Amino acid sequence: TETVPGVVAATLMASAHSPEEFRKHADTNEDAQHLRTLLPGMGLVAFVADGALLPRRSGVDDRPLEGSGVVPFRSPDSLRVHAELPNAGTVTGMGLPVGVTLIVGGGFHGKSTLLRALAMGVYNHRPGDGRELVATVSDAVKIRAEDGRAVAGVDISPFIDGLPLGQDTRSFSTRNASGSRSEAAAIVVALEAGARTLLVDEDTSATNFMIRDRRMQALVPKGAEPITPFVDRVRELSDELNVSTALVLGGSGDYLDVADTVIDMRSYLPIDVTAQARAVAEAHPTGRAPEAARPVTLPRPRAPDPRSVDPRKGRREVSVRVPDLRTLLFGRDQVDLGAVEQIVSAPQIRAIGNALALVPDLSLIHI
């Protein structure tokens, strides 16, 4: 009778906040959403404002890192663009073009921090976050390998085909996918859901899925290798299917042959090294042969089988629980969402569970 009313009065009542605070939040959200809608018309998949503060305090603390050592973002001149926003007016920053973009550089220079900011750029940020004017197209999806994940009826044949013992990869299912097969499935499912921008970090990818160099090609012939590496698909995804990709790379120089834009992160600041990268690629040819055997296509539409989803547990017709930020308890099943990096809150996971609970009712709907 005392604590709860006090919390409500201090947080939920309008009188607890100044009009200026409300206005600041509204303006920040309006500008971010407007900026996101401008990106396609500007030929961009993302925008990172000059002065943005990208580093976070830790992997479990999403507040901005503070201190004199934090380096504000500054766009290279060649990639700097302007945007007119309803409240902030004219803002400048780095525009990430459509196509294939590589984010390269030495270890601990900010490559993954930039990619993380791009992945979170599908959301608006509160004032003071440091990334208020970091915006990414809403259909961007962070892709990663996930050993042991389940895969159900996914056509991974554009990336993996000709498995031993005649396993069919046009409708591939497993309860324990390897790194390469899980990453292939992640890409296909993202495309199936409508993603047209992929965000990939070499550190969280399967090496054999990302690249097969010339020496390995010579040692293990293509006929004995079912994997078509991503380096042989990323250019085609862009040119034929209008799917852009931003990749963080530290050791796979073969991607220089297929890149539109190359950004070198040095001491947390981006440098446009596209021309230099092309010169390096020309001066040091890899000699590897492309391994794509057939054209890549968008996955065929699928629908969930209502019989495969059961939200019941005990006497409850629908049991959806979220014990932590990576786990969904759905009916009698436990779903590990820890590798879905763009999930940021428990309410999102609960919404996923509640949506899944509606799947059995789809059998009653005539389409």
Side-chain angles (χ1 to χ4, degrees):
T1 59
E2 295 182 3
T3 302
V4 173
V7 170
V8 170
T11 58
L12 300 182
M13 305 301 292
S15 58
H17 308 275
S18 68
E20 291 77 15
E21 183 181 1
F22 280 115
R23 171 58 63 185
K24 188 174 184 179
H25 279 263
D27 289 351
T28 299
N29 277 276
E30 185 179 31
D31 281 348
Q33 190 62 32
H34 185 77
L35 177 58
R36 196 171 291 109
T37 62
L38 292 177
L39 296 177
M42 299 170 69
L44 304 175
V45 297
F47 175 92
V48 184
D50 290 327
L53 302 178
L54 306 186
R56 303 292 96 185
R57 295 190 183 185
S58 72
V60 295
D61 188 344
D62 204 45
R63 291 177 296 175
L65 185 64
E66 298 176 338
S68 59
V70 178
V71 179
F73 190 87
R74 185 178 71 246
S75 172
D77 293 339
S78 56
L79 296 175
R80 181 172 285 114
V81 297
H82 300 75
E84 292 292 334
L85 303 182
N87 304 294
T90 302
V91 296
T92 64
M94 184 179 76
L96 205 69
V98 298
V100 180
T101 298
L102 308 184
I103 303 171
V104 304
F108 313 105
H109 279 254
K111 304 187 300 298
S112 295
T113 297
L114 174 57
L115 193 75
R116 172 69 175 171
L118 296 177
M120 292 298 103
V122 299
Y123 303 121
N124 297 346
H125 299 289
R126 65 171 64 90
D129 177 89
R131 303 169 296 182
E132 295 93 326
L133 294 178
V134 177
T136 307
V137 289
S138 58
D139 61 5
V141 173
K142 175 69 166 60
I143 300 296
R144 61 170 297 159
E146 184 185 359
D147 285 321
R149 69 159 282 179
V151 178
V154 179
D155 182 2
I156 61 172
S157 62
F159 301 100
I160 301 176
D161 202 10
L163 288 175
L165 304 178
Q167 292 181 333
D168 185 10
T169 58
R170 292 171 297 178
S171 182
F172 180 74
S173 298
T174 180
R175 296 187 65 85
N176 187 20
S178 65
S180 58
R181 290 186 290 186
S182 68
E183 191 157 6
I187 291 175
V188 173
V189 170
L191 296 179
E192 186 181 21
R196 293 300 176 264
T197 299
L198 306 178
L199 307 174
V200 184
D201 194 329
E202 183 183 60
D203 284 350
T204 54
S205 294
T207 301
N208 60 340
F209 179 80
M210 293 294 289
I211 186 66
R212 206 163 83 95
D213 63 24
R214 184 69 188 96
R215 288 180 172 178
M216 195 55 67
Q217 287 181 329
L219 180 64
V220 181
K222 175 55 183 172
E225 174 52 78
I227 301 174
T228 298
F230 192 57
V231 68
D232 291 327
R233 289 301 194 191
V234 67
R235 180 77 264 155
E236 187 181 9
L237 285 170
S238 176
D239 294 343
E240 303 300 327
L241 303 182
N242 296 318
V243 176
S244 296
T245 306
L247 301 104
V248 165
L249 296 169
S252 301
D254 287 10
Y255 278 86
L256 297 181
D257 291 323
V258 297
D260 296 305
T261 306
V262 183
I263 298 169
D264 183 2
M265 293 298 293
R266 298 183 188 176
S267 299
Y268 315 109
L269 291 175
I271 302 172
D272 183 0
V273 295
T274 304
Q276 180 183 346
R278 289 173 179 164
V280 169
E282 184 176 348
H284 302 279
T286 66
R288 72 179 302 275
E291 296 187 333
R294 57 186 177 85
V296 67
T297 58
L298 288 175
R300 65 184 185 277
R302 297 184 300 153
D305 182 350
R307 297 169 298 178
S308 67
V309 179
D310 187 358
R312 296 173 298 174
K313 184 178 182 181
R315 296 182 179 180
R316 296 183 180 181
E317 287 297 312
V318 176
S319 178
V320 175
R321 295 177 54 208
V322 183
D324 53 53
L325 270 177
R326 63 175 296 152
T327 306
L328 168 64
L329 300 179
F330 182 82
R332 295 182 176 86
D333 297 317
Q334 178 172 313
V335 184
D336 184 353
L337 296 170
V340 187
E341 297 181 23
Q342 286 167 291
I343 290 179
V344 296
S345 69
Q348 283 180 302
I349 301 178
R350 185 175 298 278
I352 292 169
N354 289 333
L356 281 174
L358 298 175
V359 170
D361 294 333
L362 293 178
S363 60
L364 304 177
I365 300 174
H366 177 70
I367 299 178

